[in-house]
Amino acid sequence: MTTTEIQQVHRSYGTARGWRIFIYLFSPLLIALFWSAPFWMPSGDWGALRIGFTVGMGVFGLFFVYCLYEVIKARHIITDTALIYAGTLYRKELPLEAIEGFRTDQQYTHILPKSKAYPKIRIGYTSEGYEEIQQWLAEHYPNLDEQEQRQEEAALLLDDTFGRTAEERETNLTQARRVARTLNTLGWLTGAWLLFLPRFYEWAFTAGLTLPAVAALALLWHRGTIRPDEQKNSAYPNVSVAMLIPPLGLLLRELLDFELLQYDALWPLAGGVAALFGLLLLLGSRSFLQQPKLRVSVLGQVAVYALLYGYAATVAVNCVFDEGPAKHHTATVLSKHYSSGKTTTYYLNVTPWGPRKEAEDVTVSEDYYQQVQPGARVRIYEMPGRLGAPWFTVAE
């Protein structure tokens, strides 16, 4: 008789009904697809490529056989003494008294033991009764994510470097959280403005240039209370969105709207802006850099913010605020094509023009791409660049 049979089973959970139906319907089709794929290839010798393809398809088919059987067999079981995972290939049993607590993320709830002598058990959101399991865990064990955050906040409120009294420290932390929340909200709005509604063009770019600098000043003003990076369960507010999203919006908008003819004049300027911005962030993050467990995360994020902002800000000033005289060119569209992935970019292949001595691609908007056909003439404006890096854009 098994341990589970001796114990009294209080709850038993398989895969949620909707996911079971999905797997039951599609797994047999995918298994048949993968295992029959080698027979679709043209007849011929069984060379290394054909054998490798056949083995690969066989492995994929076996994987979905496993998925199908796992959905049928696997269960999470709560007894009067243990939490058990009974799967297709293995079984885990964690005594209830050995559970330290649980953590959650977007896909799983992780039940952690007090000792490494016991296994960890992970329950996915596709499990039957997932919310009921979470409620049971919350009633019997601590949420380690919340516990960790409360402990860090308690330590912060005891640190007299953040204020002379507990009330003053709590007020300072509340203000810092309000500032960080406002800056991050503005960060999302600025990124959306740049990407999806670039009206009042110069104002949009000005917002994208200004907000990261304001966030850096907030780090200095609330030194030691606001983090530049985001870390799960941290009691400290952070301005990671305000640091990342506006420069990213600037960069994507620049890639869509401007094409540089020369980069040489920009590299020293971009490097200088990145160095100054990074130095400002490091000064505002000194207290976090002094903590070994945070140092790598903070330095990595600061490097990303500085490099991204240095390049995006320099190109923005060079192109958006360029007031130099434009040179007008015309070219003939030879062909057009687009590339798709997370975003879609539209290209016209045009005849040589101005400094371009060979037929090359130019990027255009989707609307203009649909309007223009091969053989049409397009106008191209060549600009000197406010910082000395020539660039061009197609007149639409």
Side-chain angles (χ1 to χ4, degrees), residues 175-390:
Q175 290 176 347
R177 285 174 172 164
R178 187 180 300 118
V179 168
R181 186 166 54 250
T182 300
L183 289 171
N184 287 333
T185 300
L186 291 173
W188 285 117
L189 293 174
T190 300
W193 186 8
L194 285 163
L195 287 177
F196 305 114
L197 194 66
R199 297 182 181 178
F200 307 105
Y201 207 74
E202 292 188 3
W203 285 104
F205 273 84
T206 300
L209 290 169
T210 303
L211 190 61
V214 173
L217 293 175
L219 287 180
L220 282 172
W221 183 263
H222 296 274
R223 188 175 301 172
T225 309
I226 296 181
R227 298 178 57 131
D229 63 324
E230 182 178 9
Q231 185 167 342
K232 186 179 179 182
N233 304 332
S234 177
Y236 293 88
N238 70 84
V239 288
S240 58
V241 172
M243 291 289 187
L244 180 64
I245 299 302
L248 194 59
L250 288 175
L251 180 62
L252 294 175
R253 189 77 258 162
E254 290 160 3
L255 292 174
L256 291 171
D257 294 353
F258 315 120
E259 295 193 54
L260 291 166
L261 293 166
Q262 295 179 15
Y263 289 84
D264 295 346
L266 290 185
W267 293 128
L269 296 170
V273 172
L276 289 173
F277 189 63
L279 179 60
L280 185 62
L281 297 183
L282 291 175
L283 289 174
S285 308
R286 279 188 298 176
S287 62
F288 301 109
L289 292 171
Q290 292 169 1
Q291 303 177 48
K293 67 177 183 178
L294 302 180
R295 191 172 298 145
V296 172
S297 173
V298 172
L299 286 174
Q301 293 279 49
V302 165
V304 170
Y305 299 152
L307 293 172
L308 181 59
Y309 183 77
Y311 179 79
T314 305
V315 173
V317 172
N318 181 76
C319 299
V320 177
F321 302 101
D322 183 6
E323 298 177 352
K327 295 181 181 179
H328 297 241
H329 305 279
T330 57
T332 302
V333 178
L334 299 175
S335 62
K336 61 181 188 176
H337 63 97
Y338 63 90
S339 63
S340 58
K342 291 185 178 179
T343 60
T344 302
T345 307
Y346 298 88
Y347 301 97
L348 302 178
N349 187 261
V350 300
T351 56
W353 58 272
R356 293 284 176 91
K357 304 305 179 184
E358 298 179 355
E360 293 186 12
D361 289 343
V362 296
T363 58
V364 295
S365 67
E366 181 181 4
D367 290 341
Y368 195 65
Y369 178 87
Q370 301 295 343
Q371 296 172 16
V372 176
Q373 301 301 325
R377 302 281 287 176
V378 295
R379 290 178 298 164
I380 299 174
Y381 295 150
E382 179 189 355
M383 304 292 292
R386 191 178 184 92
L387 300 177

Side-chain angles (χ1 to χ4, degrees), residues 41-52:
M41 298 178 69
S43 59
D45 295 334
W46 280 77
L49 179 62
R50 187 185 185 102
I51 293 173

Side-chain angles (χ1 to χ4, degrees), residues 125-143:
Y125 74 96
T126 57
S127 174
E128 184 180 28
Y130 184 61
E131 293 182 358
E132 183 180 332
I133 296 172
Q134 288 185 312
Q135 183 178 352
W136 177 82
L137 287 168
E139 290 173 353
H140 293 85
Y141 302 101
N143 183 325

